[in-house]
Each structure stands twice: as C-alpha cells, then as structure tokens.
C-alpha cells in the first residue's frame, strides 16, 4: 500500500514541516489555510476515515482531540476554536488518512457549508 500524502510528508518524501510530534500522531500546517491558525493533527497509523476506525482505535481518536486542544493552547486560541473531521468525499474529505482540522484566530459561522 502506498503511503498517504500525510505519511509522505511525515517521512520527508514530499515537502512539508512537521510542527508537532509524539508517539501516536504528528501535526502540520494546512497548505491552504482557512483561518489564521489551521493545523492538521494526524495519527501515525494510517486509518482512511473515522467510519473505518475500530474499537481498538478509541484511545487514538481521543488522543487526536486531546492534542488538538494542546495545540490550540500553544497557539493562544483563547478557548475559541473549531475542530473539524471530514468523513468521506461528500463531506469534504480529500485526503484519506484521518486528520483533525484545528481552526482558530477568527469567528466561525454555523451551520458550516
Ligand atoms: P480534508 O479535505 O478534510 O481531507 O482535508 C485535507 C486538507 O489537507 C486540506 O485542508 C488541504 O488543504 C490539506 N493539504 C493538502 N495537501 C497538503 C500539503 N501538501 N500540506 C499540507 N496540507 C495539505
């Protein structure tokens, strides 16, 4: 199986800067930011989408949310930010390797587009 775009960035096979890393995940800045802060939090394990996640991946999914919170704090987002996970092409997913979008630094509308 070929590495996902995000795994290729993590491995240095294509350009991109890892701005955070731990045992289970890493983070990069989104190449096409939709807010002043737009970070992608990505598990090292490649799971295509949330709907493919198994019971064993519950801690990993929780970890991604917790690290999103830590990165929000580090970026001084003042407890106001949006976490987004697109699941499936019709929901806007374009890279099929689970990732949490951390968006902040501006106001957001609801419902999303
Ligand atoms: P999604 O559409 O939810 O799958 O999100 C994929 C995100 O990856 C989009 O917001 C893209 O802008 C972002 N993206 C695509 N290519 C790169 C790249 N080379 N480096 C950083 N972010 C990327």
């Amino acid at each position: 199986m070929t590495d996902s775009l995000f795994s290729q960035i993590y491995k240095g096979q294509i350009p991109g800067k890892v701005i955070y890393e731990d045992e289970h995940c890493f983070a990069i800045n989104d190449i096409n930011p939709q807010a002043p802060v737009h970070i992608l939090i990505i598990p090292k394990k490649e799971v295509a989408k949330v709907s493919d996640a198994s019971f064993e991946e519950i801690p990993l999914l929780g970890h991604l949310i917790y690290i999103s919170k830590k990165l929000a704090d580090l970026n001084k987002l003042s407890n106001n930010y949006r976490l987004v996970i697109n699941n499936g092409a019709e929901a806007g997913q374009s890279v099929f390797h689970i990732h949490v979008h951390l968006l902040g630094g501006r106001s957001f509308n609801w419902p999303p587009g």
Side-chain angles (χ1 to χ4, degrees):
M1 208 181 77
T2 43
D3 287 333
S4 76
L5 174 73
F6 295 148
S7 293
Q8 289 177 55
I9 292 173
Y10 176 69
K11 292 178 181 177
Q13 293 163 349
I14 58 173
K17 185 162 170 247
V18 173
I19 59 168
Y20 171 85
E21 177 179 5
D22 63 28
E23 192 185 344
H24 303 293
C25 73
F26 60 97
I28 59 175
N29 284 314
D30 198 292
I31 202 169
N32 182 22
Q34 301 301 312
V37 174
H38 187 171
I39 295 171
L40 304 174
I41 299 91
I42 306 155
K44 289 184 174 174
K45 180 176 181 180
E46 274 196 33
V47 180
K49 53 191 190 299
V50 168
S51 55
D52 293 333
S54 64
F55 184 79
E56 292 107 68
E57 277 137 12
I58 291 172
L60 179 60
L61 296 174
H63 185 78
L64 297 178
I65 303 293
Y66 183 76
I67 296 305
S68 301
K69 164 204 131 88
K70 269 186 68 172
L71 291 171
D73 291 345
L74 282 170
N75 282 278
K76 302 190 175 13
L77 293 180
S78 315
N79 296 324
N80 286 290
Y81 50 86
R82 181 169 287 183
L83 302 180
V84 173
I85 303 176
N86 295 319
N87 187 85
E90 284 182 32
Q93 187 175 6
S94 59
V95 178
F96 286 83
H97 179 171
I98 289 177
H99 48 284
V100 178
H101 294 256
L102 165 62
L103 297 142
R106 68 169 173 88
S107 303
F108 297 96
N109 297 321
W110 194 263

